[in-house]
Amino acid sequence: MKKVMIVDDELIVRKGLEALLDWEKEGYQITDEAESGEEALRKIRETPPDIILTDLYMVGGDGFYLINAVKSLYPHIPIIVLSSYNDFENVRKAMKLGASDYIFKLTVNPEELLKTLKEVSSGIQDSASDDKTHPEYQMRILKALSEDKDIDDDVSIPESIINGFAAVLIHADDFSIISKRNIFPDWQRTRKLISGMIEETMRRNGDALTIDYSSSDIIALTARNSDSYEELRDEMDILARRIRNATAISVSIVISSLKHGRDSIIGGIRESLTALPRLFYTSDSVYIVHTDKQYTKPELPEEFSSDAYLSLLNSGDAVGAIRKFRAELGYFREHHGWKKSDTIKTLVEAARYLSLLIDTSDITLNSITLSEAIYLPDRFSTLFSYSNSILDAIEEEVRQTKPARKEIIEIISYVRNNLSKDISVAEAAEKANMSESNFSHVFTDEKGISFSKFVSRMKMEKAAELLATTDMRINEISDAIGISNPNYFSVQFRKAYGLSPMEFRGDRKQQEKED
């Protein structure tokens, strides 16, 4: 019996398809439904279907998002697009992303649906198959990891791995920047090449089990004993060079400590995931987990304090603030004792002060803003390079722009500190001691956009920051920026960034728990 998932935000469409066939008689079973791509992906992680039928237009992760994610993580699952007659261009786009076929959802008949199902499912093994390579085993491991539970006893893992192994995380560096810049448009093919190289390397010395953890991460459990464990670093150094030479992608590789027993598998995987940020400041490709890693207490020199930035803010000295920001970047380049999360949060705060003096959100390098240049990179070297290049453009903009009025600076500061509120033009005008019409005119003249659009932009920037630096849920982030409806937030975020909130986050698990 082949499992089918239907993804469409219209109940009538889902129920209409369900009523169209005697599914079980034909060898199929509708095991799940979803109203959005994000909901579908969560359910797929728990119980992967054999076939997916999906609409293209949905709030909260559309069909394009779902196709791209599924084909990156589960390329074996065929996808049928539910289309309208006038939607050929988008069907073509969906097919390029990896969809197998399409049907017209409002006029499809039982014979056509069954024919399409049979064509895309030819060669699929039934879900009851005991094939040890079936992705369902991977999903059970991932589910156990997400719930911090032991792996089910019926998950087939080679005895040689259980007797002794290391959990190895292979992470594509700066994947969020790669995705935003669309450097590798055919990421599915590139990832397949990388996966093949990992499989080949891992199995050279015995049994190994590889797991597609996310679009940017692959985890491998490799059978090891105390004699072969130390050789693993050299093997991973070679693997990192091979991947870089073949794909131009740099990878970070984290090796857990030597583990024994089924019950230690989840702990080993979590250990390697948790240690990934420790490569932030280094130029190394490989890190072996050590539990004695110490971090210094986050304490900046006085010249980089908030008071120092506020002094420049009050005097309208944007150039001085830029130079101070550059100096702060230099300080972090010289002092590597901080946690990655502390470094990013501190630099994001400094960038916030800078943006009070001049709107930095329109100044980009290869589509990357200053804020994104801080929280998207996996390596400090990338952060440093991107940030300084963007600062060059910001400084040039400052020299050509008249200083901002003090009232406008104060309103911008108020907005940034009260993003959870719905701040009206009338409220802002009152605080600036101006009439509404005069305030609107002055603000638009100063910032180049209307006050309401500026507030919306600030909310989306804050949302992007929270998506990148916290593990807050989408609805929590929506509340934090004063938008009560998470679906409306998702729509507005996509308009701002061209990605859904989940796409922007890149489906990455937060890795800030460090020893």
Side-chain angles (χ1 to χ4, degrees), residues 436-450:
E436 285 189 42
S437 60
N438 187 35
F439 172 77
S440 295
H441 174 76
V442 170
F443 191 92
T444 302
D445 184 55
E446 290 269 339
K447 304 305 296 180
I449 59 174
S450 68

Side-chain angles (χ1 to χ4, degrees), residues 425-475:
V425 174
E427 180 183 354
E430 183 178 355
K431 287 187 175 296
N433 199 25
M434 299 180 186
S435 67
E436 285 189 42
S437 60
N438 187 35
F439 172 77
S440 295
H441 174 76
V442 170
F443 191 92
T444 302
D445 184 55
E446 290 269 339
K447 304 305 296 180
I449 59 174
S450 68
F451 177 73
S452 60
K453 288 183 178 180
F454 178 82
V455 172
S456 177
R457 175 187 289 173
M458 293 304 100
K459 287 178 181 289
M460 293 305 110
E461 285 189 359
K462 181 64 177 178
E465 176 190 330
L466 294 174
L467 284 165
T469 61
T470 76
D471 58 359
M472 291 173 66
R473 296 179 181 276
I474 301 302
N475 64 311

